[in-house]
Amino acid sequence: MSTTVIRGAKPYGEGDPVDIEIRDGVITAIGTGLDTGGAEVIDAGGLVALPGFVDLHTHLREPGREDTETIETGSRAAALGGYTAVFAMANTDPVADNAVVVEHVWRRGREVGLVDVHPVGAVTVGLKGEQLAELGTMARSAARVRVFSDDGLCVADPLVMRRALEYTRALDAVIAQHAEEPRLTVGAQAHEGELAARLGLAGWPAVAEEAIVARDCLLAKHVGARLHVCHVSTAGTADVLRWAKERGTRVSAEVTPHHLLLDDERLNTYDPVNKVNPPLRTASDAKALREALAAGTLDCVATDHAPHAAQDKDCEWSAARPGMLGLQTALPIVVATMVEPGLLDWRGVARVMSERPAEIGGLPDQGRPIAVGEPATLTLVDPAGRWTVRGAELASIAANTPYEGMDLPGTVVLTLLRGEVTARDGKATA
Ligand code: DOR
Ligand code: ZN
C-alpha cells in the first residue's frame, strides 16, 4: 500500500497549512504534523490545494486532426493545467456521433491515463443538425456519454433541439449548445461593432447568441430538461440566463478564459490567433461576464481549447480557423481576471473550475471536497508563482495561444489523479 503525504498545503487557500495523507488514491487523514514515516512526502509549503479541475469543453482533435493535437498531447496539456477530467468535443473526423467513436476516445484516454477523458457525443448525425444521433446507444456504451453537443455548430432547428432535450431528459444527460443562430452569422468574422466595421469584417452580432439562448431556455423549461450553454460571450446572454434561472429553468452555462480577459480591441492586431467563435466581444461584455461568473449566473469556466495547425492560423483573417489553446493557461487567466481583482476567492475557483463542471457533466468522483474518504484528485497551485507563456513550450502540438509572451499569475505545481501524480513542476508524468 503506497502512502503519500502532502505537507503544508492550504485547502481552498483557507486557514492554517495542513498535511494531507493519501493511501491507495484516497485521502486518509488531514491534520498538522502527520506521521510521514515511510511515506513519500510532497512539500507543499505556500501552495493552495484545490480539487482537480474539470473542463467541460476541450477539442482533442483525435480522430482526424492528429497533426494539431492527440488524446495523448491534449491529456498532457490538461494535466499541466491542473485538470483531472476533460470532456472531448465531438467535432472530430469521423464525428463522435456513434458508440464506436466515443468508445475509441474513451479507451485511448484511459490508456494515456493522465486525465479522465469523457467523450461528448454529437447531438445530430455528422453535426448536420438534421437527424438525431443515437444518443441512447452512446449513453449506454462503455464511454457512458452524458454530455451531447454539436459544438462548432448550433443545433439550430427548434424541433430537433426539442427532441434532443426530450431524449437527454430521459437519459439524465445534458445538451451543451453552441448558441449561434446561423442565419444571423452568415460569413461572420468578428464581433459586430465599430471595430469590425472599420476593418471591413462581416459582423457576428450578439443577438445571434442571445436569441438561441433565450429560445433554448424556453424549450428546456417546456420539456423539463437540462440545458448547458457553451462559451457565453455577451452581457445580454448573462441577462437571459439570470432571467431563466430565476424562473426555475434547469440551465447552466460556461465562460471561457479568453472571453473573461480579452476583447475586440485585439482585432487591431489583425492577427488571426485572436479569431475565435464566438468572437471576442467588447470590454464591457468581458466585465459583465466576470461579474456574472462571480455571481453564479455563469456556473463555470470551460476552456474551449481549440488547437489549430500553423497553416490554418498564419493566413489572412477570413481564411483562418476560429479557436485558441486554453488548457494550460486557464487557471492563470482566472487568477488574473477573477482572483486578483477580488471577484473570486480560492473556494470560488474550486467551484467554477471543478465542482460545478463535475456536477454539470455528471462525474460523481470529480470535484469532490478535500476531505477524508474522498478521492485524492487534487491540484496544488502556487498563488505567488508567475509564468511567461510561450506557445512553442506548451504540451499541445499546435501553438495557437493568444497569450504569447504574457506574464501570468498563479502556477500549477502538481496534479494528482486518484493519488497518482500526473504533472509536477511543469512536466507531465506520461
Ligand atoms: O473557436 C472555436 N473553435 N469555436 C468552436 O465552436 C469550435 C472550435 C473548434 O473546433 O476549433
Ligand atoms: Zn463552440
Side-chain angles (χ1 to χ4, degrees):
M1 190 155 70
S2 75
T3 306
T4 304
V5 174
I6 296 171
R7 186 147 55 193
K10 279 192 188 181
Y12 309 99
E14 295 167 356
D16 294 325
V18 293
D19 302 338
I20 303 170
E21 183 193 74
I22 297 162
R23 283 189 203 194
D24 289 340
V26 175
I27 298 173
T28 44
I30 298 179
T32 46
L34 292 187
D35 180 12
T36 55
E40 186 205 346
V41 176
I42 295 170
D43 180 16
L47 305 185
V48 171
L50 299 172
F53 305 146
V54 176
D55 190 17
L56 280 173
H57 196 141
T58 311
H59 296 276
L60 290 179
R61 302 294 191 227
E62 183 178 347
R65 285 307 299 263
E66 293 87 347
D67 59 320
T68 64
E69 193 79 290
T70 64
I71 291 166
E72 183 173 3
T73 60
S75 293
R76 275 190 210 125
L80 288 165
Y83 287 90
T84 49
V86 300
F87 284 79
M89 275 297 169
N91 64 340
T92 48
D93 183 11
V95 172
D97 61 3
N98 61 75
V100 173
V101 178
V102 294
E103 286 191 350
H104 167 77
V105 171
W106 175 75
R107 279 219 178 81
R108 187 69 197 119
R110 295 237 307 191
E111 281 165 18
V112 175
L114 288 171
V115 287
D116 292 344
V117 176
H118 296 281
V120 173
V123 179
T124 65
V125 175
L127 307 174
K128 291 190 193 313
E130 293 162 5
Q131 192 188 337
L132 280 188
E134 292 193 0
L135 310 185
T137 311
M138 288 189 271
R140 284 186 292 274
S141 74
R144 299 189 74 257
V145 177
R146 289 293 178 275
V147 179
F148 294 93
S149 181
D150 276 3
D151 183 65
L153 296 165
C154 182
V155 181
D157 183 319
L159 182 59
V160 173
M161 187 61 179
R162 178 196 175 146
R163 295 283 178 253
L165 288 166
E166 285 167 347
Y167 271 96
T168 48
R169 182 190 56 196
L171 296 168
D172 196 24
V174 68
I175 303 278
Q177 175 71 296
H178 170 112
E180 173 183 357
E181 169 47 60
R183 297 287 294 149
L184 293 174
T185 58
V186 176
Q189 292 292 330
H191 171 63
E192 182 179 292
E194 203 188 307
L195 264 163
R198 188 151 25 97
L199 294 167
L201 296 172
W204 200 125
V207 67
E209 174 173 307
E210 293 154 8
I212 291 290
V213 175
R215 181 202 75 176
D216 287 353
C217 284
L218 293 168
L219 279 174
K221 177 104 166 102
H222 180 65
V223 305
R226 285 168 63 210
L227 168 71
H228 179 73
V229 181
C230 295
H231 41 51
V232 171
S233 70
T234 78
T237 298
D239 291 340
V240 172
L241 289 166
R242 200 175 302 111
W243 170 82
K245 286 184 168 192
E246 274 166 17
R247 59 198 295 274
T249 311
R250 299 169 73 200
V251 61
S252 56
E254 68 190 36
V255 60
T256 69
H258 47 274
H259 288 108
L260 292 173
L261 179 71
L262 306 176
D263 58 58
D264 68 345
E265 279 291 318
R266 281 269 181 139
L267 289 180
N268 282 316
T269 65
Y270 220 68
D271 183 343
V273 79
N274 298 302
K275 182 173 173 179
V276 66
N277 181 2
L280 300 178
R281 303 288 187 182
T282 66
S284 76
D285 284 304
K287 179 168 181 283
L289 296 175
R290 295 191 292 268
E291 288 166 359
L293 181 64
T297 304
L298 301 176
D299 297 78
C300 65
V301 172
T303 66
D304 198 2
H305 178 84
H308 286 297
Q311 71 268 23
D312 293 323
K313 278 299 203 181
D314 298 342
C315 54
E316 64 171 304
W317 185 283
S318 59
R321 299 213 180 174
M324 38 185 69
L325 299 182
L327 285 168
Q328 284 181 253
T329 45
L331 187 266
I333 302 293
V334 168
V335 173
T337 56
M338 301 297 296
V339 179
E340 288 192 340
L343 287 165
L344 280 184
D345 55 15
W346 291 105
R347 183 68 70 168
V349 173
R351 184 179 82 239
V352 303
M353 306 256 323
S354 179
E355 294 161 8
R356 284 299 289 140
E359 284 166 14
I360 294 162
L363 304 183
D365 62 342
Q366 296 273 346
R368 300 294 307 169
I370 301 174
V372 172
E374 296 288 353
T377 297
L378 301 169
T379 298
L380 298 181
V381 172
D382 182 356
R386 295 198 73 91
W387 172 53
T388 302
V389 182
R390 300 281 173 218
E393 292 168 11
L394 298 175
S396 292
I397 298 171
N400 53 305
T401 175
Y403 314 112
E404 182 70 34
M406 282 176 70
D407 176 54
L408 297 174
T411 48
V412 171
V413 176
L414 189 95
T415 312
L416 284 170
L417 176 63
R418 292 180 285 274
E420 299 291 332
V421 175
T422 56
R424 190 174 198 162
D425 298 323
K427 288 197 177 56
T429 53

